[in-house]
Amino acid sequence: MSNKPTLIQPRTLRGFRDFTPNLMIPRERLIDTAKRVYRSFGFSPIDTPALEYTEILLGKGGDETDKQMYRFEDQGGRDVGMRFDLTIPFARFAAQHIGQLGTPFKRYHVGNVWRGEKAQRGRYREFIQCDFDTIGTTSRTSDVETGLVIYELFRALGFERFTIRINDRRLLSGVLDHLGLVERQTDVLRVLDKLGKVGPQKVTEELRDAVGLSEVQAADVLRFAGLSGSPAEILGEARELVGDSEIGAAGLEALAALFESVAAAGADVSRFALDPSIARGLDYYTGVIFETFLDDLPEIGSCCSGGRYDDLASLYTKEKLPGVGASLGVDRLLAAMEELKMIEETAAPCPVFLPLFEKGRDGDYLALAQELRAAGIGVEVYPEPKKLGAQLKYADRRGFPLALVVGSSEFSAGTVQVKDLKTGEKEDVARADLVSHLRQRI
Amino acid sequence: MSNKPTLIQPRTLRGFRDFTPNLMIPRERLIDTAKRVYRSFGFSPIDTPALEYTEILLGKGGDETDKQMYRFEDQGGRDVGMRFDLTIPFARFAAQHIGQLGTPFKRYHVGNVWRGEKAQRGRYREFIQCDFDTIGTTSRTSDVETGLVIYELFRALGFERFTIRINDRRLLSGVLDHLGLVERQTDVLRVLDKLGKVGPQKVTEELRDAVGLSEVQAADVLRFAGLSGSPAEILGEARELVGDSEIGAAGLEALAALFESVAAAGADVSRFALDPSIARGLDYYTGVIFETFLDDLPEIGSCCSGGRYDDLASLYTKEKLPGVGASLGVDRLLAAMEELKMIEETAAPCPVFLPLFEKGRDGDYLALAQELRAAGIGVEVYPEPKKLGAQLKYADRRGFPLALVVGSSEFSAGTVQVKDLKTGEKEDVARADLVSHLRQRI
């Protein structure tokens, strides 16, 4: 007969999740790194609303993603939806603002998107996208630069063993052109996109039985997709397969120039491969396409994908906006980094922990912490004068690398005991030397 | 009779907005600065979903904000809503995870929230919140630290003239206790909160006529709220007004200790003021309260507010979670910084622009850009070999400070012409000296 209200069970919706610090710290670092690399190439940040008119988001409508959209009527009776990718909002944004912004326009956009799809392990209904694009130009330099951004991004994230696989849609178009199959390109693409998953045997069967290719045609398509070797070797063999197709020749030339420019720019060319098997299922791409695989975990699939498209915003404007860009798979990459033990298990947002255990000296502890912060060294001060052991346990649990133990003897001697929380090693350091000492150790 | 589909008009919903680079760059900088300061005090990032069960978000329900919630039924028939603040999700989060996280727990949370309120100038239906809190401790050190975080935050953002106004709820409670008015505290608070807006005359009238205070009682409340001077002076006068009230004495002592610790920590005490008039309307706060005003734009109101509360998550858990924290008013602060001309008008995400005008030398331009990026200097390369003038116009429009003009003569001489795009001044710099030259100028 208590007057207390019953508690509401704290829980998240299925397919949604909380990010505790141990998950959020590496996530924030990864995103900060991506933003830094994007900016260093001249990409500027933009943002668009989470909610848009359904009419805008659905566009032509009818595909699978649309059905997954969170859609409802707002307080004003408007038919609205939560964005399910960043591409459609960018297209709408570009149509609306490109006159004022001018071209070429280079933007990055990091934001959550929502899809009410079947929740399953590793699939979430809320997830982050992290895209960059250059629009308003057909420049090949932008294609090269897209590859260089991916290259710098993976290096900045700490990867050494990764491969940026590159292809050009026009190569396959050339092969199909040469085989007299241009009008079946979409179907061929759709089937070829399964190559990695189901293997050449199944793909050959499906090209023959479902798409209607002859044995010889299917064999040529498969031969093309199976080409391997150096870019020069592959381009040489592909030249035969595209014959005198104009679009094929354009693709060959563009790819040759791209690999040349990547080398000229000083990037490590062994990180770039020409891979005729990548198709990127969407009709959307019309030129160069990119996929990025981790050499140590190829099975997780591409962690950064994109390519060149002819027209971004044709639903919303008559102005033709060709572009090139890619999208970083944040969650996939974080999972990979965890598996590869590249993420330090920590819930500590700064390197130094300062236990507070001499009663009545809060001001002195806070002053020490402020001194270090002024030198750019982050410090967490424990807020209660508990026993030192309990405080160090707290620090250890959160993963702080260093603690500064300062009791009355250290205060009067003008020293600080620097304790390595991993090894337990201690060292007395004079206050005057503390900043430089810590800078060396962090 | 064209086959072309009609265009969809590109537009955002009323009360929502796009962020173009000139708006997004300062916004991102401000948020990055806030995160850096939060981390330097040991606050860790967390995130929670945009969508939650309505039951969670509404809690006790019934207030104005609840009606503004975007609420709908999802594909699975669940009654869901978009978060309208970060406090309720944090309470739910804490109830759910605090056992695993342990206390004290310090978090920051930066994220969008949504309210379908009447759209008006400067009010948006989607806006960002940027909160930090320490929970699971009643430590006074955490109160002091909250003030120091605000202090460092405003300094890091480039403000010199700001005032952190501090009060303690227990002071007013003590005054009311002494006047025998404890049970009317909520009503008194509500009225007193209007002091800044309507002035002492109106407040006195309302305290008398609506809340039922006597002339003498109302005068004492107003006298308290009107106290000014140094913290020591105000505390001295307040001592008379709280008489022998225990809660009043606790408030007095806590405030005296807080100002002492702020000084001991080495902060500039002239940035902190004791202001008995700040009440922060909510019932929620129970101890120290903070508001932060810009000395040059006091009329825009508090840009960072918060305080201490007794129990964060009582709706979701029996575990008592006292805490202290504050919230940075990102949009208000950005508007103020623009008005105070603290924001450089730019849509350039990096300092250096590199026009590409020697045909066939793309690789050389890209190599130069990569060289500078490797040294930490961001460079945008124009993607097309247009006329130099057109490229420089593009750079100027975006607000790049520097351009590197490199033609065939510079390539062969091993030099670069560094052009200041503000003044037009040019200087030839040897390639070998370029990085150090640019570092000095950026």
Side-chain angles (χ1 to χ4, degrees):
Chain A
M1 303 295 276
S2 151
N3 262 334
K4 275 222 147 191
T6 40
L7 294 176
I8 300 166
Q9 192 206 334
R11 63 204 169 119
T12 52
L13 288 160
R14 204 180 142 89
F16 289 80
R17 58 185 162 162
D18 286 328
F19 290 91
T20 47
N22 60 319
L23 297 173
M24 195 65 188
I25 290 171
R27 193 176 170 79
E28 219 175 47
R29 274 193 199 142
L30 185 148
I31 290 165
D32 284 348
T33 302
K35 287 180 179 178
R36 183 167 48 74
V37 171
Y38 293 161
R39 280 195 297 261
S40 79
F41 279 85
F43 292 85
S44 293
I46 69 158
D47 202 6
T48 67
L51 284 180
E52 300 244 14
Y53 283 103
T54 305
E55 179 197 47
I56 300 275
L57 294 179
L58 291 188
K60 287 172 293 190
D63 88 4
E64 196 49 40
T65 312
D66 301 346
K67 287 179 214 138
Q68 300 168 346
M69 182 174 70
Y70 285 98
R71 177 178 184 171
F72 58 99
E73 198 172 275
D74 78 0
Q75 287 91 330
R78 300 172 200 87
D79 184 359
V80 302
M82 294 173 80
R83 65 185 180 200
F84 51 80
D85 70 11
L86 299 181
T87 306
I88 291 170
F90 180 43
R92 195 266 310 145
F93 174 99
Q96 211 170 325
H97 304 292
I98 202 69
Q100 174 222 328
L101 296 168
T103 56
F105 178 64
K106 298 166 78 170
R107 81 86 172 86
Y108 67 86
H109 191 180
V110 181
N112 279 329
V113 303
W114 295 271
R115 293 184 192 171
E117 63 189 326
K118 221 176 150 186
Q120 45 179 303
R121 204 180 134 66
R123 297 282 264 186
Y124 292 96
R125 289 173 172 159
E126 174 178 65
F127 55 98
I128 201 163
Q129 293 203 330
C130 186
D131 296 3
F132 69 98
D133 285 85
T134 303
I135 60 167
T137 175
T138 55
S139 157
R140 276 188 194 167
T141 309
S142 298
D143 293 354
V144 178
E145 200 175 57
T146 303
L148 291 175
V149 170
I150 300 174
Y151 172 76
E152 291 300 341
L153 193 47
F154 279 71
R155 279 162 33 108
L157 292 171
F159 290 99
E160 282 163 21
R161 294 170 43 72
F162 62 91
T163 304
I164 303 169
R165 297 195 197 159
I166 302 177
N167 194 9
D168 193 301
R169 265 297 167 77
R170 290 168 294 180
L171 272 200
L172 178 65
S173 298
V175 174
L176 298 181
D177 187 18
H178 188 54
L179 294 170
L181 288 168
V182 169
E183 71 288 349
R184 274 180 255 178
Q185 165 147 348
T186 308
D187 293 328
V188 173
L189 267 175
R190 188 179 40 75
V191 174
L192 205 56
D193 213 27
K194 304 179 194 167
L195 189 59
K197 266 190 201 154
V198 303
Q201 187 64 37
K202 286 261 183 208
V203 165
T204 305
E205 280 169 29
E206 205 172 324
L207 283 177
R208 211 181 44 205
D209 305 342
V211 190
L213 266 58
S214 74
E215 204 72 51
V216 174
Q217 289 172 327
D220 263 12
V221 169
L222 260 293
R223 194 188 141 205
F224 168 72
L227 291 178
S228 67
S230 71
E233 284 162 1
I234 294 172
L235 290 173
E237 295 198 52
R239 190 155 284 122
E240 291 173 30
L241 288 163
V242 304
D244 54 5
S245 160
E246 269 183 46
I247 190 165
L252 286 168
E253 206 236 315
L255 281 170
L258 188 144
F259 279 91
E260 205 178 291
S261 292
V262 162
D268 174 1
V269 291
S270 70
R271 302 271 65 86
F272 295 82
L274 174 49
D275 183 350
S277 78
I278 62 167
R280 297 215 55 66
L282 306 164
D283 254 349
Y284 184 61
Y285 294 110
T286 49
V288 63
I289 47 185
F290 299 94
E291 295 198 340
T292 313
F293 292 82
L294 302 177
D295 297 356
D296 298 316
L297 284 176
E299 65 276 15
I300 64 166
S302 174
C303 296
C304 188
S305 312
R308 173 164 282 286
Y309 41 88
D310 271 347
D311 199 3
L312 174 71
S314 59
L315 287 174
Y316 317 105
T317 178
K318 283 183 206 161
E319 185 170 355
K320 199 160 179 180
L321 291 169
V324 59
S327 181
L328 187 70
V330 172
D331 288 310
R332 188 173 283 189
L333 213 46
L334 279 169
M337 290 170 83
E338 202 178 322
E339 195 164 337
L340 296 171
K341 309 243 177 288
M342 292 168 67
I343 294 175
E344 224 189 319
E345 183 55 50
T346 182
C350 60
V352 176
F353 178 73
L354 179 58
L356 178 156
F357 59 97
E358 287 290 331
K359 278 180 194 166
R361 300 198 73 150
D362 296 25
D364 294 328
Y365 287 106
L366 291 173
L368 171 59
Q370 286 289 90
E371 202 179 301
L372 296 176
R373 282 182 204 118
I377 299 167
V379 189
E380 175 167 346
V381 181
Y382 196 84
E384 293 170 2
K386 279 197 186 166
K387 281 195 180 143
L388 182 58
Q391 296 189 43
L392 291 177
K393 210 166 146 188
Y394 165 95
D396 205 41
R397 185 170 167 181
R398 272 174 172 61
F400 279 94
L402 297 174
L404 304 184
V405 181
V406 196
S408 58
S409 58
E410 281 85 4
F411 274 123
S412 46
T415 61
V416 166
Q417 188 190 91
V418 180
K419 184 170 182 179
D420 186 316
L421 292 175
K422 303 272 179 284
T423 65
E425 276 170 49
K426 300 165 192 174
E427 188 173 345
D428 286 321
V429 178
R431 271 291 274 270
D433 303 331
L434 186 59
V435 166
S436 62
H437 178 91
L438 292 174
R439 277 200 185 128
Q440 278 182 344
R441 295 183 64 163
I442 294 164
Chain B
M1 300 298 276
S2 152
N3 263 332
K4 274 223 147 186
T6 39
L7 294 177
I8 300 166
Q9 192 206 337
R11 62 203 170 122
T12 53
L13 288 158
R14 205 178 142 87
F16 289 79
R17 57 184 162 164
D18 286 327
F19 290 92
T20 45
N22 59 320
L23 297 172
M24 195 65 188
I25 289 171
R27 193 177 170 81
E28 219 175 47
R29 273 194 200 142
L30 186 149
I31 290 164
D32 284 348
T33 302
K35 287 181 176 176
R36 182 167 50 74
V37 171
Y38 293 160
R39 280 196 297 261
S40 79
F41 279 85
F43 292 85
S44 294
I46 69 160
D47 203 7
T48 66
L51 283 180
E52 301 244 11
Y53 283 104
T54 304
E55 180 197 46
I56 300 273
L57 293 179
L58 290 189
K60 288 173 293 191
D63 88 5
E64 196 49 38
T65 311
D66 301 347
K67 286 179 214 138
Q68 300 169 346
M69 183 174 70
Y70 285 98
R71 179 179 182 169
F72 59 98
E73 197 172 275
D74 78 359
Q75 288 91 331
R78 300 172 200 87
D79 184 359
V80 302
M82 295 173 81
R83 66 185 180 201
F84 51 80
D85 70 12
L86 299 180
T87 306
I88 292 170
F90 181 43
R92 195 267 309 144
F93 174 100
Q96 210 171 327
H97 305 291
I98 201 71
Q100 172 223 328
L101 296 169
T103 56
F105 178 64
K106 298 166 78 171
R107 80 88 173 83
Y108 66 84
H109 190 179
V110 181
N112 278 330
V113 303
W114 296 269
R115 294 183 192 169
E117 62 189 325
K118 221 176 150 188
Q120 44 179 303
R121 203 178 136 67
R123 298 281 264 184
Y124 291 96
R125 289 175 171 156
E126 173 177 66
F127 55 98
I128 201 162
Q129 293 203 330
C130 186
D131 296 3
F132 68 98
D133 285 84
T134 302
I135 60 166
T137 177
T138 56
S139 158
R140 276 188 195 167
T141 309
S142 298
D143 294 355
V144 178
E145 201 174 57
T146 304
L148 291 175
V149 170
I150 299 173
Y151 172 75
E152 291 299 341
L153 193 47
F154 278 72
R155 279 161 33 107
L157 292 172
F159 290 99
E160 282 162 22
R161 295 171 40 75
F162 61 92
T163 304
I164 303 170
R165 298 195 197 160
I166 302 179
N167 193 11
D168 193 302
R169 265 297 166 76
R170 290 169 294 181
L171 272 200
L172 178 65
S173 299
V175 174
L176 298 180
D177 187 17
H178 188 55
L179 294 170
L181 290 170
V182 170
E183 70 288 351
R184 273 180 256 177
Q185 165 147 350
T186 309
D187 292 329
V188 173
L189 268 174
R190 187 178 40 74
V191 175
L192 206 54
D193 213 28
K194 304 178 193 167
L195 189 58
K197 266 190 203 154
V198 303
Q201 187 64 36
K202 285 260 183 208
V203 166
T204 305
E205 280 168 29
E206 204 172 326
L207 284 176
R208 212 180 45 203
D209 304 342
V211 189
L213 267 58
S214 74
E215 203 73 50
V216 174
Q217 288 172 327
D220 263 12
V221 169
L222 261 293
R223 194 187 140 205
F224 168 72
L227 291 178
S228 66
S230 71
E233 285 162 1
I234 294 172
L235 290 173
E237 294 197 52
R239 189 157 284 122
E240 291 172 31
L241 288 164
V242 304
D244 54 3
S245 160
E246 269 184 45
I247 189 165
L252 285 168
E253 205 234 314
L255 280 171
L258 189 142
F259 279 91
E260 206 177 292
S261 292
V262 162
D268 174 1
V269 292
S270 70
R271 301 272 66 85
F272 295 82
L274 175 48
D275 182 350
S277 77
I278 63 166
R280 296 214 56 67
L282 305 164
D283 255 349
Y284 184 62
Y285 295 109
T286 50
V288 64
I289 47 185
F290 299 93
E291 294 197 341
T292 313
F293 291 83
L294 303 178
D295 298 356
D296 298 315
L297 284 175
E299 66 276 14
I300 64 165
S302 174
C303 297
C304 188
S305 313
R308 172 164 284 285
Y309 41 87
D310 271 347
D311 199 3
L312 174 72
S314 59
L315 288 173
Y316 316 105
T317 178
K318 285 184 203 159
E319 185 171 353
K320 199 161 178 176
L321 290 170
V324 60
S327 183
L328 187 69
V330 172
D331 287 310
R332 188 174 284 190
L333 214 44
L334 280 170
M337 289 170 82
E338 201 178 322
E339 195 164 337
L340 296 172
K341 310 245 177 287
M342 293 169 67
I343 295 175
E344 224 189 318
E345 184 56 49
T346 180
C350 59
V352 176
F353 177 74
L354 179 57
L356 178 156
F357 59 98
E358 285 289 330
K359 279 181 194 166
R361 300 198 73 150
D362 296 25
D364 294 326
Y365 287 106
L366 291 172
L368 171 58
Q370 286 289 90
E371 202 179 301
L372 296 177
R373 283 181 202 118
I377 299 167
V379 189
E380 175 168 345
V381 181
Y382 196 84
E384 293 170 2
K386 279 196 184 166
K387 282 196 178 140
L388 181 59
Q391 296 190 42
L392 291 177
K393 209 167 150 190
Y394 165 95
D396 204 43
R397 186 170 166 181
R398 272 174 173 60
F400 279 93
L402 297 175
L404 305 182
V405 180
V406 196
S408 58
S409 58
E410 282 85 4
F411 274 123
S412 45
T415 61
V416 166
Q417 187 189 93
V418 181
K419 182 169 182 179
D420 186 316
L421 292 175
K422 303 273 179 282
T423 64
E425 275 170 47
K426 302 166 189 174
E427 188 173 346
D428 285 323
V429 177
R431 271 292 273 270
D433 303 330
L434 186 60
V435 165
S436 61
H437 177 91
L438 291 174
R439 276 199 186 129
Q440 279 183 341
R441 294 185 63 162
I442 292 166

